[in-house]
Amino acid sequence: MLTLVCAGVAGAHATSRPTTTLDVIEVSGLLDPVNVDFIARSLAEAQADHTSALVIRLDSPGGVAPKADLARLVEGVRSSRVPVAIWVGPGKESRASGEAFALFEAAAVQGMAPGAHVRASRADAVTAATLGDFIVAIDGRAGIEVPTKVVKREGRPPQQELASGAQVRFDEPSLLAQLLHAVATPSAAYLLLCIGLLLILFEFFTAGVGVAGVTGAIALVLGGYGLGVLPTRPVALVVLALGVVGFGIDVQAGTPRAWTVIGTIAFVVGSFFLFGDGLSVPLIVLAVVIAGVALFIVAGMPAMVRTRFSTPTIGRESMLGEEGTAVSDVAPDGVVTVRQAPWRARTNRATPIRAGQPVRVAGIDGLLLEVEPLEGAAKDPNH
């Protein structure tokens, strides 16, 4: 834990042994497995160190961790040998709802910022504007002793502050835990899912695996963790993925058609109904993502595919009869290399062409080459 010693005087007093030790942690967002584990670990450490109290600054709309884990945490706070003091703040936007309120109720000392969205379950609840004011105010409650002193400053009313002998230790989750907690929110999980699906779709139309594919895979892994923690509707997830497949069909065709409309409808429906239990992606995020996806599919994707599979040779008809090599299996679609440039290709025969086999260009359909295996192909009269 990071340690902060609050001393009122310098000199010899600064090296005196603290009489009161307070552990302070901050918990924001949903009570997911990361936050639940962090609170439970902090509580266990406070009891092992025999600290005077565990102070929690809480701002949470509820919990998404397994109900059994949440119930154990609430019971642990209620029966803890070390008093637990929970303050909901800061500001009027802070709250403790659902499972977070159950945690708040279990605390030995309750407090809140003025206007916070939480109701006190005991008459002795503390109203404090800041976390520091709350720490000072818990002196004498639930057996907690906090050394304080009155400080007078010119032009200000007397204020009560921590005195020497009080040690305040702050702790926070690891960087990995913070990352996992950050992606376990509806907006973050949804954004990562959409980014991952679109990048994988783009990589599907390119030769080999590039930066887009790796980035898309990482986004899907992180987004998948968030979706696994949150109450995700599997049907909505399937509908959203089918929408991306619909986009891919028209990208393959080279122009937006009926499948683009079908894909857009499926994508919108899947996005709106992706989460349950009262959780949802904010409308502004949905509007921006859906508009961005539509622009990417209609304008960006075709342009990038054309650029990726372009060739410096003018007059594609001159490529008829050219020989190349299959980069991937062409069964019936795949990628071939002709004139040292990658091209999307389709076999003009029922027999698939395996990766590495020599091929010959038999026809051209826009940016798509129709190829045939070199062995057994009709001989080009120009060669």
Side-chain angles (χ1 to χ4, degrees):
M1 285 189 175
L2 298 175
T3 302
L4 172 64
V5 179
C6 299
V9 293
H13 289 174
T15 59
S16 62
R17 184 176 180 179
T19 59
T20 297
T21 301
L22 301 173
D23 287 345
V24 180
I25 62 174
E26 299 188 357
V27 177
S28 299
L30 293 166
L31 295 180
D32 58 1
V34 170
N35 269 339
V36 169
D37 178 71
F38 176 51
I39 298 172
R41 177 175 60 81
S42 299
L43 183 60
E45 291 179 355
Q47 293 182 111
D49 295 342
H50 303 287
T51 57
S52 302
L54 173 64
V55 180
I56 302 176
R57 201 243 346 140
L58 182 65
D59 182 8
S60 172
V64 293
K67 294 188 181 300
D69 293 346
L70 289 166
R72 279 194 295 269
L73 178 63
V74 170
E75 182 57 33
V77 169
R78 181 179 290 112
S79 60
S80 173
R81 299 189 306 272
V82 172
V84 178
I86 296 181
W87 176 73
V88 180
K92 297 181 179 180
E93 299 300 321
S94 56
R95 54 182 169 167
S97 308
E99 293 81 357
F101 180 71
L103 186 69
F104 176 77
E105 277 192 311
V109 181
Q110 299 174 349
M112 67 210 71
H117 298 279
V118 60
R119 70 180 191 278
S121 59
R122 289 194 295 272
D124 62 346
V126 178
T127 299
T130 66
L131 179 59
D133 292 339
F134 175 69
I135 292 175
V136 170
I138 66 177
D139 180 34
R141 299 171 185 267
I144 305 172
E145 294 183 3
V146 181
T148 61
K149 62 182 179 180
V150 177
V151 178
K152 296 181 180 180
R153 296 184 177 88
E154 186 176 351
R156 297 183 181 180
Q159 290 182 319
Q160 197 171 21
E161 297 181 356
L162 290 177
S164 59
Q167 183 184 49
V168 181
R169 306 188 304 180
F170 294 93
D171 193 17
E172 61 183 12
S174 65
L175 291 178
L176 176 60
Q178 293 181 50
L179 173 63
L180 295 178
H181 175 63
V183 302
T185 62
S187 295
Y190 173 67
L191 284 172
L192 288 169
L193 173 65
C194 294
I195 291 172
L197 289 175
L198 292 178
L199 288 179
I200 294 298
L201 176 65
F202 169 70
E203 196 69 16
F204 179 78
F205 289 97
T206 62
V209 178
V211 176
V214 175
T215 304
I218 294 174
L220 284 180
V221 170
L222 292 175
Y225 171 81
L227 294 173
V229 170
L230 298 169
T232 305
R233 292 190 177 102
V235 174
L237 185 60
V238 171
V239 171
L240 198 151
L242 288 177
V244 176
V245 172
F247 293 147
I249 293 175
D250 273 1
V251 171
Q252 176 74 17
T255 181
R257 297 176 183 174
W259 275 107
T260 299
V261 177
I262 296 173
T264 301
I265 295 173
F267 193 87
V268 171
V269 172
S271 299
F272 270 93
F273 297 98
L274 186 57
F275 300 108
D277 292 351
L279 293 179
S280 62
V281 181
L283 288 178
I284 183 63
V285 176
L286 284 174
V288 171
V289 171
I290 291 172
V293 169
L295 183 63
F296 177 77
I297 293 299
V298 173
M301 189 76 177
M304 284 189 288
V305 171
R306 285 195 298 268
T307 301
R308 195 73 175 263
F309 288 99
S310 62
T311 177
T313 304
I314 299 176
R316 290 189 297 272
E317 292 77 8
S318 64
M319 297 179 65
L320 289 173
E322 286 284 342
E323 297 178 4
T325 305
V327 177
S328 64
D329 290 350
V330 186
D333 297 320
V335 177
V336 300
T337 299
V338 178
R339 295 183 180 176
Q340 298 182 341
W343 287 84
R344 288 191 294 127
R346 177 180 299 143
T347 179
N348 67 343
R349 298 187 178 187
T351 304
I353 301 173
R354 301 301 179 189
Q357 277 190 265
V359 299
R360 176 173 294 162
V361 179
I364 300 176
D365 182 11
L367 295 177
L368 184 72
L369 300 184
E370 295 181 359
V371 297
E372 59 186 4
L374 191 59
E375 184 179 350
K379 184 174 180 60
D380 187 352
N382 296 324
H383 284 68

